[in-house]
Amino acid sequence: MSDKTQKQSLREYFLDLLKIIIISLAIILPIRYFIVQPFVVKGNSMEPNFSDGDYLIINEIGYRFQNPLRGDIIVFRYPKDLSQYYIKRIIGLPNEKVEIKNDKVKIYNSKNPEGVDLRESYLTVSLTSGNLEANLSDNEYFVLGDNRFASSDSRVWGILPRQDIIGKVWLRGWPVARAQVFRGFNYQLP
């Protein structure tokens, strides 16, 4: 093989490699920045359902077409410091009243003006400490960690504005033994 042929083959190889990289980036970057996003759990506020180091994939696009629902596990920007990201579960929805009293969470809304106790079967200890009422307006959510004894959540820092929500937890990829796709939780409120 002559030097000229060898240089031409090398040039074609690098051009093909460059094309593959550009096409890959054109596919991967929009998916990564607009559709799904990786997230690593830090801390124990969502135990036993999520542990420190769990690797999650967040669905960022779903909430562009539908509103967050009660029971959704979400990742959001912490309202007191938008550079930090938290993971919590949505408990209260816009235009509802959330009451925590006697270790129970009660939801008041147009369908339940007298209030209904929230049954949370995903909790290992179904006690929620605190004594508060939160009246949510449009585009406001009340979130709690699943580990109610070790969670900085709406009981501590208040309501979560809709614009701070990044997306819904869709998939746990790590650890592999606990890999799982997540769907919403149905509280079966009357």
Side-chain angles (χ1 to χ4, degrees):
M1 188 185 263
S2 70
D3 281 343
K4 186 176 180 181
T5 307
Q6 193 173 12
K7 286 180 182 179
Q8 188 174 4
S9 292
L10 194 57
R11 178 195 280 144
E12 287 175 7
Y13 170 78
F14 281 113
L15 283 174
D16 286 344
L17 184 61
L18 183 61
K19 287 177 191 175
I20 290 170
I21 291 170
I22 290 171
I23 291 169
S24 297
L25 289 175
I27 294 169
I28 293 170
L29 289 178
I31 290 172
R32 163 60 177 86
Y33 286 102
F34 301 109
I35 299 174
V36 296
Q37 183 177 149
F39 178 78
V40 177
V41 176
K42 292 183 179 137
N44 61 355
S45 72
M46 289 298 286
E47 286 186 348
N49 300 306
F50 296 91
S51 300
D52 189 59
D54 282 3
Y55 184 86
L56 310 174
I57 301 295
I58 310 306
N59 174 350
E60 290 185 288
I61 200 166
Y63 288 152
R64 294 178 193 199
F65 303 106
Q66 70 178 41
N67 289 320
L69 302 172
R70 186 181 340 275
D72 285 356
I73 303 152
I74 60 168
V75 171
F76 58 92
R77 288 183 196 89
Y78 174 49
K80 304 278 185 200
D81 179 357
L82 297 177
S83 69
Q84 293 185 39
Y85 294 86
Y86 279 24
I87 177 174
K88 302 290 178 220
R89 189 179 299 268
I90 294 177
I91 299 298
L93 300 173
N95 303 308
E96 290 186 332
K97 176 177 148 185
V98 178
E99 178 184 69
I100 298 176
K101 189 175 178 182
N102 299 324
D103 297 323
K104 293 185 180 185
V105 178
K106 193 174 237 182
I107 303 294
Y108 297 84
N109 56 29
S110 60
K111 292 181 182 177
N112 300 290
E114 300 300 315
V116 61
D117 288 336
L118 205 57
R119 293 188 204 120
E120 300 175 279
S121 61
Y122 48 82
L123 299 177
T124 53
V125 178
S126 59
L127 300 174
T128 303
S129 62
N131 197 8
L132 65 86
E133 286 184 10
N135 291 299
L136 307 173
S137 61
D138 291 340
N139 296 314
E140 292 182 336
Y141 294 84
F142 191 90
V143 296
L144 293 173
D146 289 353
N147 182 353
R148 302 287 162 84
F149 299 105
S151 178
S152 173
D153 49 38
S154 288
R155 294 173 296 172
V156 177
W157 41 261
I159 58 159
L160 175 66
R162 170 70 170 88
Q163 73 262 14
D164 292 344
I165 298 175
I166 302 298
K168 178 180 177 179
V169 173
W170 175 57
L171 171 77
R172 176 178 21 229
W174 187 263
V176 174
R178 294 184 64 202
Q180 175 180 357
V181 173
F182 293 93
R183 292 176 175 70
F185 183 82
N186 186 353
Y187 289 94
Q188 299 178 345
L189 296 180

